[in-house]
């Protein structure tokens, strides 16, 4: 007969829907669910083919990450070739070579006729109980997509943000076999699966009913042909596991377990025993409880007082009652001396359960028996007037019974604690769901996410025992913000040809790989560092697309439009005609994720990353360069509108070809250094909108400290005449203004004071048509989540250590130069204590870039650098990392993986408290 608490099952665990969603978010964090992917879409079989091919095929780069450049997503045949056994990449992707067995594919498929390339950002799925059937569950998946159709196929819309809803019957197969391998499977491939995409915003062109039907069919085909079975191995101590949805005042996901014996009928279990505030509740049925307590039930009382008493017919029982377990022993006593009387007795002891932890300081994950009150001893059937005999027996027996009661409880504790241990019953299974996917053999896996199941209260009923509890996961990591430059799709890309030459239309950026572990991105805010508010906020697209050139009277223009990239960020001439580089563009992602512990509520999350753009200003001057290459100041508006220097960047040629713009190079004096607007005014007044032109102002450090920030000007610090040598200038008189052509030749120069009208006339005459203003992102050759290049450093005089040997401690690398004061200040900031009580902070390595060891030690001592100073006179470390900005700061976690990269001392990323940033890296 089914138990009214748990039906046909030994044990039932119920999870609240919010707690289940917390687990799903943790699976997203551990990358069991993808967060970013690039795919080839094609569910159309070749003519005459009977082979069911995958409807979607993932496209990854050499690191195994989603392909960000959409032009590099190949054809289906090319991508399928990645899965050959001879390709080392297949070791990363861990493919299955015989997908035609065990229901890996279900065919045939009805083609959707969609064909092309797609990029998707996928957020943590959530579930809900939608009906009373007990078998259907609805999964809701927020998705953001960009789609590129193949020629002559359905165009759809390029961008879609919406929600995919999948309702499927939970048809589990929990099957023991002779080899003792048990598994649980949820069928997402069958015909009863209901799929629908619900767009969240009006896209252009609008999605028609036919479009939506095609997308839904493609998703169905992808589930059938492109995903392996959704199966998981059961823990060895569980014979059968089934699931059931329970709809009620507090909907729940029921996990129905039989540790041994028959499978059980889910229809027999309809009781929701979750309480408000529970994350889960764990119920063990009466029969299962009593079977697990044989030591209590069968622990025979052997040492009651003997002479002058004989004890016989003892019977011991254990029963579940409301609020307690009751141990009862009955027996008969016969006195062997006079008076020879006999009587019966009943001993009762109430027992309860106390929550305990199996490890010191750990969560309350099990329970143990404890006596509830004292022993009750009752004598029955004794004839009058021999009550004194009963009293004598009771007095001598009670202490012995207490001792043996305690022994019986102690003997039972291992069984009781094992039977109620939530980690053994469900923790192992949950942990298997959170195990990170297999990575490249040479790359450490992502940090495994730990679940913490803890009991909060225990309830003893006549039908069984219910333990209520909370479910938490490890604290969430920081959001990861990445963006990179991609090929332009906004009007033909860079270098659109119009009357008068090539006019750049600006770089596009993709944040495809940005994600909030366990969370959903709700907006992307693109901004220029040091300026507010963001120049563009997008809630529906993970890319920043520069607007195409506007054509007026045959002349292309990139005049800014609402929501577009501002002049200083774009590479277009716009209204000023100035091509700006070495300026920061920042991305802030904002979103939410469920709290990792406590009430399962949504919490806000945000993070920012800034990168710097470069325009080639030394192209064509290589023969003139001698000695150290000059550096460009990375600037932003500071207090009072003055220039604030966040760091420095190398001004060397790009080395990637593509040419350079015209250049206005102004060597300032005390007067012009504070009023550089006349350079931009002259460029506007020249009317030369056909000539890409960069404005470079060379100032001394003192002049730079007093200069007002002028948007559109590239600032450079004088370095012992390095800039004059770069342009082949012999005179030392200041101010000096040059017009330099795209090939590096000086077309015009002027010594002394200069007004905008004179300069405008010179520009009108001497600027070369066209010129390339191709912007590129400055950045390291590192990948977030991958190991940093290993190197050797001196920990103590004559004692070397490698970076890899520091695994187990977080590490912060800061690259600096003595000529870059912001980089020195960044090293000082990062070496300050983190304030983490009772723990070790990260190891800070201050890596000097390209200077003699003697100078490095001298500057380190003068600036009181207490971090480990690592000289790199030959730039071997810096080149391996791809450093061209000082400071560059790399945060490495205790597993040796890069977790964050920051450029510049400020970089808009909350470095007012560098200790907080270091502490976050230490997690």
């Amino acid at each position: 007969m089914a138990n009214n608490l748990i039906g046909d099952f030994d044990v039932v665990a119920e999870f609240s829907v919010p707690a289940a969603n917390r687990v799903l978010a943790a699976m997203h964090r551990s990358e069991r669910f993808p967060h970013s992917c690039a795919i080839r879409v094609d569910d159309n079989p070749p003519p005459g083919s009977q082979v069911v091919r995958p409807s979607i095929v993932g496209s990854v780069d050499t690191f195994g990450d989603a392909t960000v450049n959409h032009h590099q997503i190949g054809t289906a045949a090319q991508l399928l070739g990645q899965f050959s056994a001879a390709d080392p990449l297949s070791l990363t992707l861990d493919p299955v070579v015989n997908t035609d067995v065990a229901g890996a594919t279900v065919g045939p498929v009805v083609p959707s006729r969609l064909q092309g390339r797609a990029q998707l950002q996928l957020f943590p799925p959530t579930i809900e109980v939608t009906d009373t059937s007990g078998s259907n569950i609805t999964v809701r998946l927020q998705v953001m997509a960009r789609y590129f159709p193949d020629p002559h196929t359905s165009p759809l819309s390029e961008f879609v943000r919406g929600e995919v809803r999948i309702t499927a019957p939970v048809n589990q197969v929990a099957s023991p076999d002779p080899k003792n391998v048990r598994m649980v499977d949820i069928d997402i491939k069958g015909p009863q699966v209901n799929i629908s995409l619900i767009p969240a915003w009006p896209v252009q062109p609008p999605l028609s009913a036919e479009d939506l039907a095609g997308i839904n069919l493609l998703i169905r085909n992808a589930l059938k042909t492109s995903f392996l079975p959704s199966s998981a191995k059961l823990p060895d101590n569980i014979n059968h596991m089934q699931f059931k949805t329970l709809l009620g005042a507090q909907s729940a996901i029921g996990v129905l377990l039989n540790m041994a014996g028959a499978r059980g009928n889910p229809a027999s279990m309809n009781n929701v025993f979750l309480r408000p505030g529970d994350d889960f509740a764990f119920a063990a049925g009466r029969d299962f409880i009593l079977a697990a307590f044989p030591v209590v039930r069968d622990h025979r009382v052997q040492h009651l007082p003997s002479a002058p008493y004989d004890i016989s017919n003892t019977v011991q029982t254990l029963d579940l009652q409301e609020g307690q377990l009751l141990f009862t022993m009955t027996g008969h006593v016969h006195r062997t001396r006079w008076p020879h009387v006999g009587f019966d007795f009943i001993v009762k002891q109430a027992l309860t359960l106390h929550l305990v932890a199996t490890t010191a300081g750990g969560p309350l994950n099990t329970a143990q028996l404890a006596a509830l009150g004292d022993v009750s001893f009752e004598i029955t059937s004794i004839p009058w007037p021999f009550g004194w005999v009963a009293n004598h027996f009771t007095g001598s027996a009670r202490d012995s019974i207490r001792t043996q009661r305690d022994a019986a409880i102690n003997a039972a504790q291992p069984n009781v604690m094992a039977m109620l241990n939530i980690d053994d019953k469900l923790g192992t299974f949950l942990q298997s769901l959170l195990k990170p996917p297999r990575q490249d053999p040479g790359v450490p896996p992502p940090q495994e996410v730990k679940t913490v199941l803890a009991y909060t209260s225990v309830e003893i009923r006549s039908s069984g025992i219910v333990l209520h509890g909370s479910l938490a996961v490890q604290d969430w990591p920081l959001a990861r913000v990445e963006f990179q430059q991609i090929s332009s799709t906004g009007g033909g890309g860079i270098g659109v040809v119009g009357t008068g030459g090539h006019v750049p239309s600006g770089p596009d950026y993709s944040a495809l790989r940005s994600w909030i572990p366990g969370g959903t991105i709700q907006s992307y805010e693109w901004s220029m560092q040091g300026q507010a508010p963001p120049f563009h906020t997008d809630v529906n697209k993970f890319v920043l697309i520069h607007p195409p050139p506007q054509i007026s009277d045959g002349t292309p223009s990139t005049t800014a439009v609402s929501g577009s990239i501002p002049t200083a960020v774009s590479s277009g001439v716009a209204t000023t005609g100035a091509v700006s580089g070495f300026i920061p563009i920042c991305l802030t992602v904002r979103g939410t994720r469920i709290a990792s512990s406590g009430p399962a509520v949504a919490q806000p999350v945000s993070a920012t990353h800034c990168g710097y753009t470069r325009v080639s200003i030394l192209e064509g001057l290589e023969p003139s360069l001698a000695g150290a290459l000059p550096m460009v100041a990375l600037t932003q508006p500071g207090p009072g509108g003055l220039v604030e220097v966040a760091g420095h960047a190398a001004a060397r040629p790009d080395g990637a070809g593509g040419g350079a713009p015209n250049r206005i190079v102004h060597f300032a004096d005390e007067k012009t250094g504070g009023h550089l607007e006349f350079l931009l005014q002259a460029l506007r007044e020249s009317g030369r909108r056909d000539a890409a032109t960069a404005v470079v102002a060379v100032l001394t450090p003192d002049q730079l400290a007093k200069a007002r920030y002028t948007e559109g000007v590239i600032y450079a610090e004088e370095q012992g005449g390095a800039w004059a040598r770069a342009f082949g200038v012999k005179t030392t008189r200041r101010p000096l203004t040059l017009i330099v052509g795209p090939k590096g030749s000086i077309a015009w120069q002027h010594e002394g004071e200069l007004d905008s009208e004179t300069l405008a006339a010179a520009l009108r005459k001497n600027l070369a048509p066209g010129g390339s203003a191709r912007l590129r992102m400055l950045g390291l050759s590192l990948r977030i989540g991958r190991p940093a290049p290993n190197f050797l450093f001196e920990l103590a005089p004559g004692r070397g250590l490698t970076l890899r040997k520091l695994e187990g401690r977080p590490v912060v690398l800061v690259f600096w130069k003595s000529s870059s004061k912001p980089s020195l200040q960044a090293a000082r900031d990062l070496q300050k204590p983190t304030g983490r009580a009772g723990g070790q902070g990260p190891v800070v390595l201050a890596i000097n870039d390209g200077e003699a060891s003697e100078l490095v030690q001298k500057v380190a001592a003068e600036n009181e650098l207490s971090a480990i100073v690592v000289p790199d006179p030959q730039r071997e470390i810096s080149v391996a990392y791809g450093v061209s900005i000082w400071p560059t700061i790399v945060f490495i976690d205790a597993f040796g993986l890069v977790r964050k990269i920051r450029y510049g001392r400020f970089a808009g990323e909350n470095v007012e408290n560098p200790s907080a940033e270091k502490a976050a890296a230490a997690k």
Side-chain angles (χ1 to χ4, degrees):
M1 181 176 179
N3 183 296
N4 62 10
L5 176 64
I6 55 161
D8 289 344
F9 301 91
D10 295 334
V11 171
V12 171
E14 293 181 353
F15 290 87
S16 69
V17 170
N21 288 336
R22 178 177 281 158
V23 173
L24 294 175
M27 294 176 70
H28 178 264
R29 169 197 173 160
S30 66
E31 300 186 61
R32 289 298 298 267
F33 298 129
H35 54 81
S36 307
C37 58
I39 57 176
R40 178 70 194 183
V41 173
D42 186 356
D43 61 359
N44 306 295
S49 173
Q50 300 299 317
V51 178
V52 178
R53 302 186 309 172
S55 299
I56 62 173
V57 181
S59 174
V60 296
D61 59 19
T62 55
F63 288 94
D65 294 327
T67 302
V68 175
N69 186 343
H70 47 277
H71 291 303
Q72 294 176 351
I73 303 174
T75 65
Q78 291 171 328
L79 297 174
L80 286 170
Q82 293 178 352
F83 296 102
S84 66
D87 192 331
L89 189 57
S90 67
L91 296 176
T92 300
L93 300 176
D94 197 20
V96 173
V97 296
N98 58 334
T99 57
D100 56 340
V101 301
T105 61
V106 178
V109 299
V110 178
S112 68
R113 304 304 177 191
L114 297 177
Q115 184 174 311
R117 298 162 290 154
Q119 293 175 315
L120 305 124
Q121 282 191 334
L122 303 169
F123 306 117
T126 60
I127 61 174
E128 49 182 42
V129 179
T130 54
D131 58 41
T132 59
S133 69
S135 61
N136 287 338
I137 194 164
T138 296
V139 177
R140 301 163 66 114
L141 179 65
Q142 297 288 327
V143 62
M144 202 177 296
R146 188 182 189 193
Y147 180 65
F148 305 90
D150 285 352
H152 312 300
T153 65
S154 177
L156 293 181
S157 175
E158 182 176 353
F159 298 101
V160 173
R161 179 161 193 163
E163 179 179 89
V164 176
R165 296 182 184 177
I166 302 176
T167 300
V170 189
N171 297 323
Q172 303 85 3
V173 177
S175 176
D177 64 18
K179 299 179 181 61
N180 200 33
V181 177
R182 303 173 177 89
M183 49 88 74
V184 59
D185 178 80
I186 299 179
D187 182 14
I188 61 171
K189 301 173 181 286
Q192 298 181 43
V193 175
N194 184 13
I195 299 167
S196 61
L197 170 67
I198 303 174
W201 64 297
V203 298
Q204 295 296 330
L207 290 174
S208 65
E210 291 78 11
D211 291 338
L212 285 173
I215 293 173
N216 294 337
L217 183 55
L218 175 67
I219 296 171
R220 178 184 297 279
N221 291 341
L223 292 176
K224 287 182 177 182
T225 66
S226 302
F227 291 86
L228 294 176
S230 299
S231 54
K233 180 181 177 296
L234 287 178
D236 292 338
N237 62 336
I238 298 175
N239 207 41
H240 293 285
M241 176 184 287
Q242 300 181 73
F243 295 89
K244 182 173 184 177
T245 60
L246 300 163
L247 185 65
Q250 185 167 4
S251 298
I253 309 298
V255 182
L256 318 178
L257 306 174
N258 272 335
M259 318 313 286
R263 186 166 181 260
N265 180 8
S268 67
M269 167 56 200
N270 297 290
N271 184 22
V272 178
F273 44 78
L274 278 174
R275 290 175 174 173
D278 285 350
D279 287 336
F280 74 91
F282 176 80
R286 174 188 179 88
D287 293 342
F288 185 65
I289 292 288
L290 296 180
F293 292 176
V295 179
V296 174
R297 187 183 65 238
D298 299 335
H299 190 85
R300 295 297 174 187
V301 176
Q302 301 293 336
H303 304 292
L304 290 178
S306 54
Y309 303 101
D310 281 339
I311 302 172
S312 61
N313 300 327
T314 58
V315 177
Q316 297 178 190
T317 61
L318 184 68
D319 190 27
L320 268 73
Q321 299 181 350
E322 296 299 317
Q324 65 180 15
L325 293 94
L326 185 63
F327 171 77
T328 303
M329 181 177 68
T330 62
H332 181 77
V333 177
H334 177 74
R335 184 174 171 84
T336 59
R337 292 190 231 168
W338 188 92
H340 300 281
V341 296
F343 52 89
D344 298 330
F345 68 90
I346 301 174
V347 174
K348 295 182 180 180
Q349 174 65 63
L351 303 172
T352 189
L353 291 167
H354 287 168
L355 301 177
V356 295
T358 53
T359 58
L364 302 177
N365 60 345
T366 188
Q368 64 182 16
L369 284 171
L372 185 62
D374 200 1
V375 173
S376 167
F377 205 113
E378 180 182 355
I379 302 296
T380 62
S381 305
I382 187 168
W384 184 90
F386 299 109
W388 62 271
V389 174
N391 292 337
H392 177 267
F393 174 80
T394 301
S396 60
R398 191 184 298 272
D399 289 341
S400 178
I401 291 174
R402 289 193 186 104
T403 300
Q404 294 176 70
R405 170 203 65 191
D406 295 341
I409 290 175
N410 290 335
Q413 294 297 18
N415 276 7
V416 174
M417 294 178 67
M419 189 269 296
L420 298 178
N421 189 317
I422 191 64
D423 288 338
D424 289 345
K425 295 296 179 290
L426 284 174
T428 302
F429 179 70
L430 288 178
Q431 205 59 50
S432 72
L433 299 179
L434 301 179
K435 185 177 180 180
R438 188 174 184 271
Q439 299 284 325
D440 188 304
V443 177
Q447 183 179 0
E448 188 169 351
V449 181
K450 301 292 185 182
T451 55
V452 180
L453 297 170
Y455 290 131
T456 55
S457 64
V458 60
E459 182 184 359
I460 302 175
R461 303 184 185 182
S462 60
S463 54
I465 294 174
V466 183
L467 296 107
H468 304 269
S470 63
L471 183 154
V473 297
Q474 283 175 278
D475 289 344
W476 302 115
L478 298 173
R480 183 184 299 179
V481 184
E482 295 183 60
F483 64 92
Q484 66 186 69
Q485 191 172 330
I486 58 174
S487 301
S488 175
T489 58
I494 297 171
V496 177
V497 178
T499 302
H502 293 270
V503 177
S505 64
D508 295 343
Y509 300 98
S510 173
L512 175 66
R513 286 200 290 258
S514 293
W515 67 303
I516 299 175
T520 299
I521 297 177
Q522 296 176 327
S523 68
Y524 302 81
E525 298 177 1
W526 300 90
S527 63
M528 292 171 55
Q529 180 185 317
Q531 296 188 2
F535 63 77
H536 185 62
T537 298
D538 205 317
V539 298
N540 298 309
K541 299 189 291 290
F542 50 79
V543 293
L544 179 66
I545 304 297
H546 191 276
Q550 306 299 309
I551 305 298
S552 176
D553 298 327
T555 302
S557 168
T558 55
T559 304
V561 296
S562 175
S564 67
I565 307 173
T567 301
V569 178
S570 77
S571 57
V573 294
T575 56
T576 66
V579 175
S580 294
F582 303 98
I583 49 128
I585 179 171
C586 302
L587 170 62
T588 298
V589 298
R590 299 188 188 277
T592 61
R593 63 183 165 200
I594 196 169
S596 60
S597 61
V601 297
Q603 295 179 330
V605 184
S606 65
T608 300
H609 174 70
C610 297
Y612 284 88
T613 57
R614 167 195 287 159
V615 64
S616 184
I617 56 177
L618 293 182
E619 188 90 8
L621 303 175
E622 294 92 327
S624 304
L625 298 176
L629 290 174
M631 295 191 300
V632 173
L634 306 176
T635 60
Q636 64 183 26
L642 298 179
V643 171
E644 187 169 28
V645 179
H648 295 84
R652 62 180 180 270
D654 285 342
N662 293 277
R663 283 147 283 182
I664 302 171
V665 184
H666 179 74
F667 293 85
D669 64 359
E670 293 296 329
K671 181 177 180 181
T672 62
H675 304 281
L676 298 173
E677 297 89 348
F678 81 96
L679 299 172
L680 300 174
Q681 181 180 350
L683 185 57
R684 286 193 297 268
E685 292 174 353
S686 73
R688 292 298 304 274
R689 300 178 62 83
D690 63 329
T693 306
V695 178
V696 183
V698 183
L699 289 79
T700 67
D702 288 342
Q703 292 170 348
L704 193 57
K706 302 173 185 176
R708 296 190 64 80
Y709 182 81
T710 302
E711 182 180 335
V713 172
I714 299 172
Y715 290 88
E717 286 188 42
E718 185 60 81
Q719 299 170 251
W723 282 99
R725 290 193 300 273
F727 287 100
V729 175
K730 305 301 182 183
T731 180
T732 59
R733 183 180 176 186
R734 302 291 187 271
L736 172 66
T737 307
L738 312 176
I739 299 176
V740 181
K743 295 183 179 180
S745 60
I746 297 177
W748 179 87
Q749 72 179 54
H750 178 86
E751 298 180 20
E753 294 185 7
L754 180 66
D755 57 57
S756 62
E757 184 178 349
T758 301
L759 179 57
L763 292 170
R764 194 176 299 115
K765 178 179 179 181
N766 291 285
L767 286 180
S772 172
R774 186 181 298 274
L775 289 184
R776 292 183 176 88
M777 294 293 296
L778 289 164
L780 298 185
S781 54
L782 301 183
R783 180 62 60 81
I784 301 295
R786 300 286 174 169
N790 200 15
F791 59 85
L792 183 69
F793 64 94
E794 194 175 59
L795 185 63
R799 298 290 185 267
L801 190 69
T802 62
L803 174 66
R804 205 70 75 230
K805 295 293 184 181
L806 292 175
E807 288 186 13
R809 287 276 301 275
V811 179
V812 180
L813 310 179
V814 52
F815 291 84
W816 63 281
K817 280 181 173 288
S818 63
S819 55
S820 175
K821 291 183 179 179
S823 68
L824 273 167
Q825 185 59 52
R828 287 197 297 268
D829 289 342
L830 290 163
Q831 72 189 14
K832 296 175 184 177
T834 63
R836 296 176 67 222
Q840 293 180 319
V843 177
V844 179
L845 302 182
I847 304 171
N848 177 267
D849 189 341
E851 297 176 321
S853 297
E854 297 78 10
L855 175 62
V856 172
Q857 298 302 332
K858 178 177 180 292
V859 173
E862 291 173 350
N863 287 271
E864 300 180 343
L865 291 186
S866 60
I868 299 173
V869 177
V870 182
D872 184 23
Q874 303 302 319
R875 302 201 74 236
E876 294 170 314
I877 303 173
S878 300
V879 169
Y881 278 72
V883 174
S884 58
I885 295 176
W886 303 274
T888 290
I889 303 168
V890 181
F891 297 88
I892 302 173
D893 65 18
F895 297 90
L897 305 181
V898 176
R899 286 303 174 202
K900 187 175 182 181
I901 301 170
R902 182 159 60 81
Y903 305 107
R905 182 176 170 226
F906 302 106
E909 297 177 282
N910 190 29
V911 295
E912 291 80 3
N913 182 9
S915 295
E917 196 165 52
K918 289 195 298 178
K923 289 185 178 180

